[in-house]
Amino acid sequence: MVAELARQAGEILKIGFGGPIAAEHKEQAIDLVTEMDRRSEAYLLREIRRRYPAHHVVAEESGEHGANGVYSWYLDPLDGTVNYAHGIPIYSVSIAFAENGRVRLAVVFDPSRDECFTAIRGQGAFLNGASLQVTGVTELSSALLVTGFPYDSWTNPDNNLSHFERFSVRTQGVRRLGSAALDLCYVAAGRLDGFWELRLKAWDVAAGGLIAEEAGARVTGLAGEADYLRPVTSIVAANPALHGRMLDVLKG
């Protein structure tokens, strides 16, 4: 059911992709929201609240809905809004379901490639039904990493640029794709070896984090803490051996 909701939200996004889009700025000049973010979120909210009216929902654009109880949903209706607004086909729909604060089910759908990444805790991670596994790369010199930068990077010195510089001279390269949810799924799929990013939101990484974990990644905060969803949401994901080497670099 959740995968189908993500696919339907993705169809809403595909309708608007590449055409004229009304976009607004949030608090930061480079943080955008489009009419398609809101349409996708409205659809997901309606369908989840219709099925599970007593559940708590945390949605990127409209905030929190319902009682903050045992069951919670994390919705990112369009992860990669800046890409989307510029006609770059790297964006996704991200949905996670949590019980008592722990994510149990995750779906990330990439409408451009018709790729649906899914995971249920303890049952593995999958791409369109095929099992996923992280890479076995253990040395930074052989690793291809991915990251992103916070929206207040113009004004906040904690902007990830120093980490980016350190990793850039120790690895095969560092990519910046523009969708944290897909970054984590690409680690799960073995397309990238590791991911880190600072000061995200829970809806950015709740689904992708579980998918990466179920594919064999270690996923933590920057200090190695297990609860990477708590504010401030900074994250590192890689296979266990590479993860430790990434933490060493991040600690400086």
Side-chain angles (χ1 to χ4, degrees):
M1 181 276 290
V2 180
E4 183 56 29
L5 292 182
R7 285 184 173 276
Q8 289 300 319
E11 289 301 314
I12 293 171
L13 298 179
K14 284 173 68 176
I15 291 170
F17 182 72
I21 298 171
E24 302 170 14
H25 296 282
K26 297 186 183 180
E27 293 181 9
Q28 304 297 328
I30 57 175
D31 190 3
L32 300 179
V33 58
T34 72
E35 59 183 303
M36 304 312 293
D37 291 77
R38 294 192 174 105
R39 289 186 191 179
S40 174
E41 181 169 298
Y43 167 77
L44 293 174
L45 269 176
R46 182 177 69 249
E47 293 301 314
I48 288 174
R49 298 193 73 191
R50 179 171 67 84
R51 290 170 169 83
Y52 307 105
H55 287 193
H56 178 234
V57 182
V58 183
E60 178 177 9
E61 306 307 335
S62 58
E64 298 193 36
H65 304 262
N68 192 351
V70 173
Y71 303 114
S72 295
W73 295 83
Y74 295 93
L75 307 181
D76 193 338
L78 172 49
D79 189 49
T81 299
V82 175
N83 284 347
Y84 185 89
H86 286 270
I88 299 171
I90 303 175
Y91 61 93
S92 61
V93 177
S94 177
I95 305 173
F97 169 73
E99 182 180 5
N100 290 319
R102 195 174 193 210
V103 177
R104 299 291 183 183
L105 181 150
V107 176
V108 174
F109 179 56
D110 177 350
S112 298
R113 295 165 185 78
D114 192 33
E115 292 189 335
C116 191
F117 299 87
T118 60
I120 296 175
R121 187 169 294 280
Q123 298 184 28
F126 300 87
L127 168 55
N128 293 346
S131 180
L132 298 178
Q133 182 67 41
V134 296
T135 69
V137 170
T138 60
E139 299 296 330
L140 283 170
S141 58
S142 300
L144 182 63
L145 306 183
V146 66
T147 192
F149 298 90
Y151 284 117
D152 62 353
S153 59
W154 290 1
T155 57
N156 192 327
D158 185 23
N159 56 20
N160 199 30
L161 290 174
S162 62
H163 299 312
F164 180 84
E165 180 180 13
R166 289 201 295 273
F167 278 118
S168 293
V169 298
R170 289 170 169 81
T171 63
Q172 285 191 348
V174 180
R175 301 292 181 256
R176 195 273 178 90
L177 302 181
S179 168
L182 286 179
D183 291 341
L184 285 158
C185 290
Y186 281 17
V187 171
R191 297 172 181 174
L192 295 163
D193 300 300
F195 166 64
W196 89 94
E197 192 165 345
L198 312 184
R199 293 188 288 112
L200 291 159
K201 301 294 186 181
W203 54 72
D204 294 312
V205 297
L210 178 62
I211 292 166
E213 286 185 79
E214 287 296 312
R218 186 181 177 204
V219 185
T220 71
L222 264 63
E225 66 274 27
D227 184 7
Y228 54 86
L229 293 184
R230 68 182 181 187
V232 174
T233 306
S234 297
I235 190 169
V236 187
N239 70 59
L242 187 64
H243 182 278
R245 298 185 189 278
M246 291 181 66
L247 285 185
D248 289 342
V249 173
L250 289 164
K251 292 172 184 174

